[in-house]
Amino acid sequence: GDPCAVSVRLLEEAAKCDSKQGLAALSDLAGSLKSINIAAIPPSHRLCFWLNTFHALLLHAVAALGRPNSPASTVKMYSRASYLVGPHVLSLAEIEHHVIRLNLSRPKFPRKAGAARFLLSVWKRTNNPAAKVGSLYLPREGPACDFGSHIACPPDRRVNFALNWGNVSCLDWVPVFDNPDKMDEQLDAICRIVLANKVKAEQRQHKNIVVTLPYVCGWYVADAPELGGVGWLPWMAQYLSTVQATVIKQGLMADGVPVVKYLPYKGALQHQLTARRPNKWSS
């Protein structure tokens, strides 16, 4: 079937899986991913497929393994919980960093991020073709020899707000991207919701404005349109309320540089995660 439709169904089934029977059916459905020709997914549809697949694997892993109760067990889940997608066995960390974020910046973790650094414990593909292709076959030539470019998503900074890692720093639901032809519209919509929930701009008397941003803006500061944390602000204003956008715009025009702070990273997983289609995002 259509890869994006498969990913939508998989994510929605993972979100409501609450029994051993449900897990068995979910695993059967996840098995259909191996028959997908991921190299044939158009670049404009890749974010839809891979974001849904990432979130489905996250929910599937929690349903099967239980909610991680320590940083170490969270790292293990991200590094080991995997789907066979086409010929590639990919963990959560690999889907995020080798596929979804491959064409974006590398993370810049603060010293206090602790175990978050180890979420990048992924299998590093090399120039050796045997290390770049799936574990089930080794083609002699062709696009499948290039692990990254034939499946990776185009760079899009909105990914930083579309990805939900399931922790309490994120929303308590994951987005279902249900139409690959409307990804631009849906990515804008999820940015509005996440940033309205996480961004706070304050005008302090006789001082520069203070803007508090999600932790991901600090980790992936190089994804900002302009240099440094302040570089997020002009772009971000389009997704904020009129009041917050006005504070930011006035702060950028005033003398002095706005003060940018970041919300702390909280790695504990949500007690319950649901999945929502776009028509339910604002509810």
Side-chain angles (χ1 to χ4, degrees), residues 205-221:
Q205 192 173 14
H206 307 306
K207 294 183 179 180
N208 300 339
I209 65 165
V210 177
V211 185
T212 305
L213 302 179
Y215 72 87
V216 70
C217 294
W219 286 16
Y220 295 95
V221 68

Side-chain angles (χ1 to χ4, degrees), residues 10 13 24-25 43 48 74 95 100 133-134 143 151 153 163 171 182-183 192 195 218 220 238 249-250 276 282-283:
L10 181 62
E13 290 300 317
C48 178
T74 301
I95 292 174
I100 295 175
V133 301
I151 66 171
C153 298
L163 274 168
L171 299 177
K182 292 186 176 181
M183 275 304 287
R192 286 189 199 98
L195 294 174
Y220 295 95
Q238 66 185 303
K249 289 174 182 177
Q250 290 176 344
R276 297 183 187 177
S282 58
S283 60

Side-chain angles (χ1 to χ4, degrees), residues 5-15 26 29-30 33 53 56 83:
V6 170
S7 73
V8 169
R9 185 182 169 204
L10 181 62
L11 174 51
E12 293 188 321
E13 290 300 317
L26 182 59
L29 181 57
L33 293 172
T53 300
Y83 275 158

Side-chain angles (χ1 to χ4, degrees), residues 50-85:
W50 286 109
L51 284 168
N52 287 337
T53 300
F54 174 89
H55 289 135
L57 177 54
L58 172 65
L59 295 177
H60 193 164
V62 173
L65 304 173
R67 180 174 170 268
N69 56 12
S70 69
S73 59
T74 301
V75 168
K76 283 183 180 179
M77 186 185 76
Y78 271 85
S79 299
R80 297 181 184 181
S82 303
Y83 275 158
L84 175 60
V85 190

Side-chain angles (χ1 to χ4, degrees), residues 1-4 6-7 30-51 53 83-90 94-95 98-100 125 132-137 143-154:
D2 172 67
C4 291
V6 170
S7 73
S32 64
L33 293 172
K34 67 178 179 287
S35 64
I36 290 176
N37 181 1
I38 50 178
I41 299 175
S44 60
H45 288 195
R46 289 178 187 174
L47 271 176
C48 178
F49 173 77
W50 286 109
L51 284 168
T53 300
Y83 275 158
L84 175 60
V85 190
H88 299 286
V89 177
L90 295 168
E94 291 181 312
I95 292 174
H98 280 330
V99 180
I100 295 175
R125 271 65 173 182
K132 295 170 74 175
V133 301
S135 56
L136 300 188
Y137 73 93
C145 286
D146 184 352
F147 174 79
S149 64
H150 81 292
I151 66 171
C153 298

